[in-house]
Amino acid sequence: QVQLVESGGGLVQPGGSLRLSCAASGSIVSIGGMNWYRQAPGKERELVASITSRGGTNYADSVKGRFTISRDNAKNMVHLQMNSLKSEDTGVYYCNANIWTDMSRSGQFWGQGTLVTVSS
């Protein structure tokens, strides 16, 4: 079975930086799009950033200019560099990816989440 595991979350002061990582493992043939979502306390989960299999990126308006998503296809990993963090960035960040587990089947997979807390 496929597993996604996030890491890199923690406590940081406003204006600080964090780098999140997500590693995919298991029965993987190939990985399509990869995404980072977040869920703040009491709010719905929202898409933060996405990257295609060929490296094209998109960001939520709230994080443009501050966050950068990247991927390493050889290592089945995706990263999220977060700079100039604000208190509103606080939440659980989840890795998501479309993964081909054989030549004719793909599906969406989610990590367990990593907590990011931005507070003074």
Side-chain angles (χ1 to χ4, degrees):
Q1 183 55 259
V2 171
Q3 184 178 36
L4 300 179
V5 179
E6 303 97 334
S7 62
L11 175 64
V12 64
Q13 293 187 217
S17 298
L18 282 175
R19 180 177 169 85
L20 306 183
S21 297
C22 173
S25 61
S27 302
I28 299 170
V29 174
S30 64
I31 302 177
M34 304 185 81
N35 313 283
W36 285 99
Y37 287 78
R38 70 185 179 192
Q39 188 164 26
K43 295 187 177 182
E44 296 183 356
R45 189 172 301 186
E46 64 175 344
L47 178 63
V48 175
S50 61
I51 185 166
T52 70
S53 61
R54 298 176 66 178
T57 60
N58 285 102
Y59 300 91
D61 288 341
S62 60
V63 307
K64 285 182 179 177
R66 301 188 297 121
F67 290 12
T68 302
I69 187 171
S70 61
R71 65 190 291 162
D72 185 335
N73 291 331
K75 297 181 179 179
N76 291 332
M77 295 187 71
V78 63
H79 306 278
L80 186 68
Q81 178 67 46
M82 305 185 295
N83 299 325
S84 302
L85 284 161
K86 307 173 181 179
S87 60
E88 64 190 279
D89 295 318
T90 293
V92 178
Y93 283 70
Y94 297 90
C95 176
N96 162 267
N98 177 250
I99 298 177
W100 293 88
T101 53
D102 63 36
M103 294 298 291
S104 60
R105 181 185 297 118
S106 68
Q108 294 291 324
F109 294 86
W110 293 85
Q112 82 290 348
T114 185
L115 178 63
V116 172
T117 302
V118 185
S119 177
S120 60

